[in-house]
Amino acid sequence: MSVRPGMLAWERPPKKANDVTDPSLLDSDGRPLPLPPDPLSPVPGVVENELAAYRAGDVARAREALTALAGTGRSSTSGHAAMALAGIEISENGLDGSDRLWLEQVAAGEDPWLGPLATVMLNRKFRSAMSSDVGRQILASLASQLTGATDAARDGFAAAFDAHKGTTPGYVAGFLLGNLLIQSGDQDAALRPLSHSREGCNGTFAAYAGHLESHVLMGQNEVEPACEVLSHAYRSSHPVRGGDEGLHPWVALRFGELLAGQPCVDFVQNRMERRGVSEGEVIRKPFESANGRQRVSAPALADLGLFLFFAEFKLVHAALERLREWSDERYERGRRLVLALHTFVKDSGDAKSSRSLARLLTKLELPTPKY
């Protein structure tokens, strides 16, 4: 396979075992480039085929085939199939509980888009908000999105957002509209409903809106605003502040990735000065917080980040294997995170850790950064 312009790193042909100098991962000074915003997670063709059958009226066939796909193992395809099944159950039966099994499977997976959304859909506050007449209309639009009828979903979210601003259903419609606009490629348009919902809500809803808003800001290279929004989302998502235990690991992970890739943002400097801690301790904290709230969601990237700080390389390798099993894209994300956090292990001064880290970089075919 040849390399095309603009080809993503995980789409490229495998490198030879001794080719560990990929220049695309380092800047001109030999430092790791910041982690890019999470790429979108398109519906696999095999799942979309069954959703097309569902939209054509063949509900039984779609359920049977998607159930089989959802049970094939812990992978991107099984995660998308489970989310599609949740959408079908909601479309057919509302929030009667039949969706929970599938949403819990998605929340426990590795998808950075479906996972957070699934945790919000499982949240009691969300399910309560969907019990009103307006809420049921919004829920129908969400079911349309999850079953592939995105135009109908967008129209429904936009109508509810415009008609019910300043109310809980309006805020929910706002962050769901923002999510769908991001998925549709209209990221700039997503900012208005997302910022409106973040500013009007607290707890889980504010955290999820901020989580999404930060993605757009990072894509616009607005690093400091993204850090400010994501810092607020990080605090709001924590259960002690009224957040959700399932959502918090996802928000904390994104915050840790941002700090790891942009270690000189004002947030890090301010925390170092106010608390008298090192840069590494500030960057480690989100990964540590994510790791401590893993009853619902346990993204392997959060484990990788934390255990790399403590030079627990067996656990780092285990996390990488979970990412590899899920998708090539998530595994590539793991490689990039190892590179971004490399210096904090390297600076530990422990010779054994340094040798283990060097072996890890070689195994992952990563260049050695210059510091």
Side-chain angles (χ1 to χ4, degrees), residues 22 60 71 99 136-137 171 197 206 223 229 243 254 304 309 334 336 353 371:
D22 185 353
D99 57 300
R136 282 188 284 272
Q137 293 171 14
Y171 294 133
S197 294
V223 178
V229 167
R254 178 163 290 179
L304 187 155
F309 271 104
R336 292 290 298 268
S353 294
Y371 297 101

Side-chain angles (χ1 to χ4, degrees), residues 300-355:
L301 281 165
D303 286 351
L304 187 155
L306 178 63
F307 296 133
L308 194 63
F309 271 104
F310 292 115
E312 296 283 352
F313 289 103
K314 287 185 179 179
L315 297 176
V316 169
H317 283 289
L320 284 164
E321 286 306 308
R322 285 160 56 197
L323 293 166
R324 188 199 295 273
E325 181 184 8
W326 187 263
S327 70
D328 290 344
E329 184 276 317
R330 287 291 89 186
Y331 179 71
E332 175 65 14
R333 190 79 174 181
R335 290 177 71 241
R336 292 290 298 268
L337 185 58
V338 168
L339 192 63
L341 295 176
H342 166 273
T343 184
F344 304 110
V345 182
K346 183 175 181 293
D347 287 350
S348 67
D350 182 271
K352 183 179 179 181
S353 294
S354 296
R355 288 194 298 271

